[in-house]
Amino acid sequence: ACFISDSVTGFKRKQPGLQVWRIENLDLKLVPKDLHGKFYTGDAYLLLFTTAAPSYNIHMWLGNECSQDESGAAAIFATQLDDFLGGGPVQFREVQNCESNTFLGYFKSGIQYQKGGVASGFHHVVTNDTNVKRLLHVKGRRAIRATEVAMSWNSFNKGDCFIIDLGKDIYQWCGSECSYFERVKAAEFAINIRDSDRNGRAKLHLVEEGQETAEIIQVTLNYTHIAPLLCISDASGTMKVSVVAQTSPFKQAMLSPEECYILDNGVDMNIFVWKGPKANTEERKAAMSAGQQFIKDKGYSNKTQVKLISGAETTLFKQFFSDWKDKDETTGPSKPFTIGRIAKVKQVPFDASTLHTNKVMAAQHGMVDDGKGKVQVRIWRVENGDKMPIDPSSYGHFYGGDCYLILYSYGHGGPEKHIIYTWQGLKCTQDELTASAFLTVQLDDSMGGSPVQVRVTQGQEPPHLMSLFQGKPMIIHLGGTSRKDGQSKANSTRLFHIRQSSSHATRAVEVEPCGSKLNTNDVFVLKTPSALFVWRGVGASDEEIAAAKYVVAFLGGTATQVSEGKEPADFWSALGGKKDYQTSKSLQKVVKPPRLFGCSNKTGRLIVEEVPGDFTQSDLATDDVMILDVWDQIFVWVGKDSNEEERTGAPKMAKQYVDSDPSGRRGLPITTVKQGAEPSTFTGWFQAWDSNMWDTDPLARIRLVFTGSLSLSLSLSLSLALLGSCFSSQHLSEQEEDIKAQFTAALSFRVCRRVSLKRNCSQH
């Protein structure tokens, strides 16, 4: 056995963040940072998460197909690592598809399950490898899991999203019954594959069910109608076979324990016969012969197999059901799906007390280091389709009307490594958005394709990016641009919200200057035409006060220190008057971090899932009801697209959750809030709450990233290049010259006019 020490396996005792090892031939092999979150189902892994304190979490992860030897080795290594760290770590045993919320919190972008393992000669995917052909089944609304399945049309179902990864082309296929939020999450996952696995060198395609391209049909081989489900019953007095549902995905509630069923998978040379545990003897005897007769009636090959199933359902069988729950899985109160007398499924109450067993994590993912050591940071702003260097004196300032490229180079005693962060402001133009993606790939190419790419949307900055500015806060301006002669002038009154994250990185975000934006746990800097204030909430930290000094230095002037409760009249006047704001005592005492849960019955029954990791406003699913636990109060947030079952079931679930808490919180107030009408006591738990966030459809914005959304400026570049080749002759006719001039002028004017309107410029 390989004993843990500082000198082997790449182990770093005090390095904050996540370290991952794979068990290979009963030894530990370090998994590179850019491959974190990808697990082979035939392997076992050991993970160590270290906080800055330091404190430790040790996880041993076991794939469904890992061997007993690998499982035993993982347990031994976990014990050795625990001993080496003084017995203080918390240990977790993780099993594929049943991981703890703490574990899932390390991988906010989702996790991938890949077929194979060490024993079968599989090694982790090489970045930029375009020789890929795989199908990923994407599931989850809070914790995203992508499982590699057989590249066959039979792997698909109507209720989920799938990613067809062909290396240079990545297709997101959306079933006709998958939800809006699932589409958003699957799209983000596809973008992450393009950015992290291909370093931006792949095209994204969005495909709806029924609109499959020739390439998809070719690669999935057996393209046919999705399998139907039939019932074998003698309820009418004679044995009959009737159609339950024409196409998958089916609901598990369609299977009555008193009947037998045929699931038609004949295109894959097999059909399933499912025998209910309470079916009568005659039906069970008739099941096999009915299956064989069905093969003849359908004209399937005589080599088609009949697979009898009774209580030991295979993975292939269960994949035809969108909501399959194995015995003892938690479900919630909702009406079961019924068709006549077929579905006789007992209601299984959701045990809200189980939510208390999920430990709240302060885990942050993506910390390759603490942003210190031998490092180099270079930042460019995207401008006119090119990248313009930023003055190092303004590093750390990001404007909502811009896009930026941040190159982080580090090499702690070893080969130099690189990360390219592409930061995209919420008010930048689509042209800049497209150009930022193009320039990222261009920069990556110039460095030999070695950097890791990370795409960041304003307000979703990862902790490592926030830590790059050596003790200074990351300052995010509401809009505007850092370029000279920018398109807008800063407001005369400005308010910056300063908060320290769980990773100890500090961010100052400009918000609307309004009294309701204040938060008793944080620090705010208020700039008016005649004064400058630093407001300190009762629960604010010294680190947040220190960060405020950098904001004050940027704004200029001498600041007046203001304590919560002792504000002068001109302070409130500048904010439009005194208004209610977040004053929760639990924020001041920090008894426990807040927890966010999603309530959804998209699978047919109401289930509750915790949002892993540090949550943000974008985790609020508009087609769900969410429960926010802030320790001394419970909020039930109702999304505008949630359904009646979710709206009525979630408050009951929240009450059961509180009443069953072993810490004795029975009777806590439960407040219901509606999307778009959130009070400050709710929004204060989300840094830099954006009241306009849902004005723009997130899925529509994501679609623009996919193929078929070239910006006007990029179209202009391509069109002009095409013109150059079409009119390459030195001897053009007068008519051809006229056509070329008119076409070029028309394209140029169209782009300039659009940029002009978006920037509110007076000239272009």
Side-chain angles (χ1 to χ4, degrees), residues 326-330:
D326 288 319
K327 186 179 179 181
D328 298 328
E329 270 196 73
T330 302

Side-chain angles (χ1 to χ4, degrees), residues 596-724:
L596 183 65
F597 302 89
C599 305
S600 172
N601 73 341
K602 300 301 182 292
T603 60
R605 290 188 175 120
L606 188 63
I607 60 172
V608 181
E609 300 173 290
E610 184 169 5
V611 175
D614 289 347
F615 59 80
T616 65
Q617 185 181 353
S618 62
D619 287 314
L620 296 174
T622 59
D623 57 349
D624 282 344
V625 175
M626 313 292 291
I627 295 176
L628 177 64
D629 176 10
V630 298
W631 189 246
D632 65 350
Q633 186 175 5
I634 302 292
F635 291 95
V636 176
W637 180 87
V638 181
K640 63 180 178 64
D641 298 321
S642 59
N643 59 46
E644 187 60 30
E645 292 289 345
E646 293 165 343
R647 295 179 187 184
T648 56
K652 298 175 184 177
M653 200 80 73
K655 185 178 185 304
Q656 183 188 355
Y657 166 70
V658 172
D659 291 346
S660 62
D661 190 344
S663 63
R665 292 192 290 161
R666 181 184 295 271
L668 277 184
I670 299 176
T671 303
T672 299
V673 300
K674 304 289 182 61
Q675 180 184 343
E678 298 87 354
S680 58
T681 51
F682 178 85
T683 61
W685 296 95
F686 301 82
Q687 187 183 9
W689 177 273
D690 182 5
S691 57
N692 300 317
M693 175 176 173
W694 292 295
D695 291 350
T696 303
D697 183 358
L699 186 57
R701 186 177 178 88
I702 286 175
R703 281 196 180 108
L704 294 176
V705 181
F706 281 60
T707 299
S709 59
L710 288 178
S711 67
L712 284 174
S713 60
L714 187 56
S715 298
L716 172 64
S717 300
L718 295 175
S719 300
L720 293 180
L722 180 62
L723 278 174

Side-chain angles (χ1 to χ4, degrees), residues 437-742:
F438 174 77
L439 292 170
T440 299
V441 174
Q442 191 179 66
L443 178 60
D444 186 276
D445 284 338
S446 70
M447 304 182 72
S450 63
V452 174
Q453 293 183 30
V454 182
R455 175 179 156 272
V456 179
T457 301
Q458 180 180 342
Q460 308 294 322
E461 293 79 15
H464 184 257
L465 175 58
M466 290 192 289
S467 72
L468 298 187
F469 307 106
Q470 305 301 315
K472 298 179 182 179
M474 185 176 188
I475 301 176
I476 301 173
H477 300 260
L478 188 61
T481 174
S482 59
R483 69 189 67 182
K484 294 181 180 179
D485 303 320
Q487 77 270 31
S488 61
K489 186 178 180 180
N491 294 329
S492 58
T493 300
R494 307 179 71 183
L495 182 65
F496 286 85
H497 181 185
I498 301 171
R499 175 179 288 181
Q500 186 179 45
S501 73
S502 60
S503 64
H504 301 287
T506 309
R507 178 171 49 184
V509 182
E510 185 177 5
V511 296
E512 180 187 353
C514 177
S516 63
K517 295 292 185 180
L518 298 179
N519 190 311
T520 193
N521 192 51
D522 300 326
V523 171
F524 288 77
V525 176
L526 174 62
K527 169 73 171 176
T528 74
S530 58
L532 185 61
F533 301 96
V534 174
W535 183 90
R536 178 169 185 164
V538 174
S541 68
D542 292 337
E543 290 82 2
E544 289 164 342
I545 284 291
K549 295 178 181 178
Y550 292 99
V551 181
V552 169
F554 166 75
L555 294 173
T558 302
T560 301
Q561 303 294 320
V562 177
S563 298
E564 183 177 6
K566 299 180 180 180
E567 299 85 356
D570 54 342
F571 176 86
W572 291 119
S573 177
L575 293 176
K578 189 172 183 179
K579 295 180 176 139
D580 291 336
Y581 62 89
Q582 174 62 277
T583 57
S584 171
K585 293 181 180 179
S586 66
L587 271 173
Q588 300 167 18
K589 297 177 182 177
V590 196
V591 177
K592 283 188 177 181
R595 305 173 69 184
L596 183 65
F597 302 89
C599 305
S600 172
N601 73 341
K602 300 301 182 292
T603 60
R605 290 188 175 120
L606 188 63
I607 60 172
V608 181
E609 300 173 290
E610 184 169 5
V611 175
D614 289 347
F615 59 80
T616 65
Q617 185 181 353
S618 62
D619 287 314
L620 296 174
T622 59
D623 57 349
D624 282 344
V625 175
M626 313 292 291
I627 295 176
L628 177 64
D629 176 10
V630 298
W631 189 246
D632 65 350
Q633 186 175 5
I634 302 292
F635 291 95
V636 176
W637 180 87
V638 181
K640 63 180 178 64
D641 298 321
S642 59
N643 59 46
E644 187 60 30
E645 292 289 345
E646 293 165 343
R647 295 179 187 184
T648 56
K652 298 175 184 177
M653 200 80 73
K655 185 178 185 304
Q656 183 188 355
Y657 166 70
V658 172
D659 291 346
S660 62
D661 190 344
S663 63
R665 292 192 290 161
R666 181 184 295 271
L668 277 184
I670 299 176
T671 303
T672 299
V673 300
K674 304 289 182 61
Q675 180 184 343
E678 298 87 354
S680 58
T681 51
F682 178 85
T683 61
W685 296 95
F686 301 82
Q687 187 183 9
W689 177 273
D690 182 5
S691 57
N692 300 317
M693 175 176 173
W694 292 295
D695 291 350
T696 303
D697 183 358
L699 186 57
R701 186 177 178 88
I702 286 175
R703 281 196 180 108
L704 294 176
V705 181
F706 281 60
T707 299
S709 59
L710 288 178
S711 67
L712 284 174
S713 60
L714 187 56
S715 298
L716 172 64
S717 300
L718 295 175
S719 300
L720 293 180
L722 180 62
L723 278 174
S725 61
C726 291
F727 295 102
S728 58
S729 172
Q730 296 179 354
H731 305 287
L732 298 177
S733 68
E734 185 175 337
Q735 183 181 16
E736 288 171 332
E737 288 283 8
D738 185 52
I739 291 173
K740 178 181 177 182
Q742 290 183 46

Side-chain angles (χ1 to χ4, degrees), residues 161 257 307 354 374 471 707:
C161 292
K307 297 185 178 181
T354 59
K374 183 182 178 182
T707 299

Side-chain angles (χ1 to χ4, degrees), residues 53-121:
S55 62
Y56 306 97
N57 288 339
I58 297 173
H59 303 260
M60 59 173 178
W61 184 90
L62 308 177
N64 286 343
E65 300 169 2
C66 79
S67 68
Q68 189 64 39
D69 288 342
E70 290 169 329
S71 174
I76 292 172
F77 285 132
T79 301
Q80 291 178 355
L81 183 56
D82 183 271
D83 291 341
F84 183 73
L85 295 172
V90 178
Q91 288 194 42
F92 299 78
R93 182 178 183 272
E94 312 285 358
V95 179
Q96 181 182 337
N97 287 312
C98 300
E99 294 86 357
S100 69
N101 227 32
T102 303
F103 181 91
L104 296 172
Y106 305 144
F107 311 105
K108 286 289 284 184
S109 298
I111 56 179
Q112 290 185 41
Y113 301 136
Q114 300 175 173
K115 287 183 177 180
V118 174
S120 51

